[in-house]
Amino acid sequence: MKSWIIGIIGLAGLAAIVGASYASPEALLAVGVLTAAGVGIGWPHFLGIPARKTLGALIALPGVGAAIAATYLPAPGFLDWTPSFMAAGVMAIFVMQLIRGTGQAQRLESTLGSSAGVMLSCLGAGWIACSRFNGVHEMLLVAAISASIALLAGLIRWPDRIVAPLGVIGAGLAGPLAGLVFSDIAVLPAAIVGVVVGAVLVSFRRLVIIRGESLSFAAALGIGLAPVAAVGSLAYFIDKLLIY
């Protein structure tokens, strides 16, 4: 599958998150659950590890739990249970690898890679927390626009040494512009969000380049949605630290 499909998947995920945030909490929860499921299904395929169905379920379920908790926990502890879901997911990964037994192929790669997948799946709950925080969607919109610019830059088929700075700078400029047009967020916090978001997304683009193999749709789904999920929690914590 061509690499530009990954960017399209990421853009579609962002559009779904923004649209659902303006629809209803239940709609955003549904998108959060689907995002966690997409990461769970696709991440083992991207890593090319065995036991993909089982590992996919163990990656997705903590993310689903974190999304549900972020939707219904009272303020301000929207993500209070997220670390617990991460820990439970990682422990489940270790137990599953023990059950597989010694001598199995890629046990270390499966354990480390799947644990990272659990973290990415759970970080998607940050979008829900960002939407619920103070009842406004300003930071969510700024982060989504910055991420969109970085993803669009990633679609350009230029060398990574050009696209990576372009994505970071473009997202860093898009953040303040989005803040000025769509919200009352100050320029500095919006710029920081844009730069951080851009750096995360171009880093995942580098992962795809390093892998260097043709990806199945499931693998593209996982690597396309994983950075989008991670960006949600980044935006939420920056919102709390720099703005309120």
Side-chain angles (χ1 to χ4, degrees), residues 86-210:
M86 288 182 181
V90 170
M91 287 190 292
I93 295 293
F94 274 83
V95 170
M96 185 266 184
Q97 295 299 335
L98 289 174
I99 292 174
R100 288 182 66 203
T102 58
Q104 296 295 322
Q106 296 181 303
R107 288 185 72 195
L108 179 61
E109 294 87 343
S110 296
T111 303
L112 296 178
S114 299
S115 297
V118 169
M119 181 185 70
L120 292 168
S121 175
C122 290
L123 288 177
W127 286 111
I128 298 173
C130 199
S131 176
R132 292 185 64 196
F133 189 52
N134 288 325
V136 296
H137 302 156
E138 293 178 345
M139 182 55 76
L140 183 147
L141 191 59
V142 169
I145 291 174
S146 298
S148 298
I149 296 300
L151 287 172
L152 288 171
L155 296 178
I156 302 174
R157 302 186 65 180
W158 289 350
D160 199 46
R161 64 180 181 275
I162 299 175
V163 174
L166 182 64
V168 174
I169 294 172
L173 293 175
L177 289 175
L180 291 173
V181 174
F182 297 107
S183 71
D184 296 326
I185 296 176
V187 171
L188 180 59
I192 292 174
V193 169
V195 170
V196 172
V197 167
V200 169
L201 292 174
V202 298
S203 297
F204 276 84
R205 181 182 186 271
R206 184 61 183 170
L207 284 178
V208 177
I209 294 174
I210 292 174

